[in-house]
Amino acid sequence: MQAIFFDLDGTLTESGPGIIKAVQYALNKMGCPEADPQKLRFFIGPPLLDSMLRFRPFSQEEAEKAVELYHAYYCKEGIFDNRVYPGIHQMLKDLRASNVKLAVASSKPEILVRKILDHFGLSQYFDEVVGASMDGQRSKKAAVIEEALRRLGLVDLRNQVLMVGDTASDVNGAKTTRLDCWGVSYGYGTVEELRTAGAAKILATVPALEKQLITLQSEWGETGEKESF
């Protein structure tokens, strides 16, 4: 196996509190407040503009304004209302020792992804970090994954790359780019959502994920051929 791509929110870090508070701030400013955080969980992971358009009958201009308001709050107060899931540091350290390339592929703006990884001491584990571009040209998960493949020189080796994420957005992005995807149900997506989207495996805990990834990499090292993800 050449590389493993990880989603950020809900896969490496529990970022929900800061994201939801930022969404609530933006919606309040737009005149449509939402007090129930459970109704806003789907904002965690997918491109923010898409989620704004899905949640309210906003015009494109209104949704873009809501995204601006979101970022104004999130960049100041929400970005570090976040924590690394227990076991993630050790998992990434162990994977690095297996010589597989590691990357982050997130729909969050890349500049924010890098700030979060630096803040929590996670940057050291990754060969590449890719997020959405600030101009909106790269926002869909598939576009982010494709850019990660390009930067790592793996465009022609995508059958040797695995995506790991917690929502259907991750699975669908991987399928669009012809990658296999494992889902993690400890994040913000449900088992049903991940299964329906077509995740090849669904892992309930970080230790279970690490065990499966280390086993997979060991099998690749022994055979030099692709095993079933």
Side-chain angles (χ1 to χ4, degrees):
M1 183 166 57
Q2 293 288 331
I4 304 169
F5 293 175
F6 290 92
D7 175 49
L8 177 62
D9 298 325
T11 302
L12 299 177
T13 70
E14 188 177 2
S15 54
I19 291 174
I20 289 174
K21 288 173 187 175
V23 172
Q24 288 176 318
Y25 172 85
L27 292 175
N28 186 59
K29 289 291 186 179
M30 293 297 293
C32 48
E34 177 53 66
D36 186 355
Q38 293 301 312
K39 293 181 180 179
L40 304 175
R41 282 174 61 89
F42 74 90
F43 275 90
I44 305 167
L48 187 59
L49 183 63
D50 291 352
S51 295
M52 286 294 182
L53 290 167
R54 171 184 167 188
F55 189 68
R56 287 284 187 270
F58 287 136
S59 66
Q60 183 74 17
E61 183 178 358
E62 288 171 333
E64 290 173 356
K65 176 62 176 177
V67 170
E68 289 180 10
L69 290 166
Y70 169 94
H71 284 305
Y73 178 95
Y74 186 79
C75 291
K76 290 182 179 180
E77 301 186 47
I79 186 171
F80 301 130
D81 191 355
N82 193 352
R83 74 181 183 104
V84 180
Y85 286 112
I88 289 293
H89 275 279
Q90 188 62 50
M91 179 187 74
L92 296 174
K93 181 179 179 181
D94 292 343
L95 287 171
R96 288 292 293 181
S98 73
N99 295 318
V100 65
K101 291 184 181 299
L102 302 179
V104 173
S106 170
S107 294
K108 186 186 295 293
E110 186 169 313
I111 188 172
L112 299 183
V113 176
R114 292 182 179 276
K115 284 183 178 181
I116 291 166
L117 295 176
D118 287 346
H119 179 78
F120 289 114
L122 294 174
S123 298
Q124 62 184 309
Y125 303 115
F126 293 102
D127 298 281
E128 190 55 79
V129 174
V130 184
S133 58
M134 293 304 291
D135 62 6
Q137 294 299 306
R138 186 176 68 245
S139 62
K140 305 288 187 182
K141 179 61 65 126
V144 171
I145 292 172
E146 201 65 47
E147 176 65 9
L149 290 168
R150 186 193 68 78
R151 292 187 194 178
L152 288 170
L154 297 173
V155 171
D156 296 325
L157 295 171
R158 62 187 70 223
N159 67 322
Q160 298 179 38
V161 179
L162 176 67
M163 180 72 202
V164 179
D166 68 309
T167 67
S169 176
D170 301 306
V171 182
N172 291 332
K175 288 168 68 175
T176 299
T177 53
R178 306 196 308 280
L179 268 59
D180 287 313
C181 184
W182 287 4
V184 294
S185 59
Y186 59 77
Y188 295 102
T190 65
V191 171
E192 180 180 2
E193 171 189 339
L194 292 166
R195 184 179 294 122
T196 299
K201 286 183 185 290
I202 301 174
L203 293 310
T205 66
V206 174
L209 175 63
E210 176 178 2
K211 181 178 180 180
Q212 290 288 315
L213 288 174
I214 293 294
T215 298
L216 178 65
Q217 180 62 1
S218 175
E219 291 171 349
W220 267 90
E222 291 175 1
T223 67
E225 298 180 356
K226 180 180 179 180
E227 300 290 333
S228 173
F229 282 165

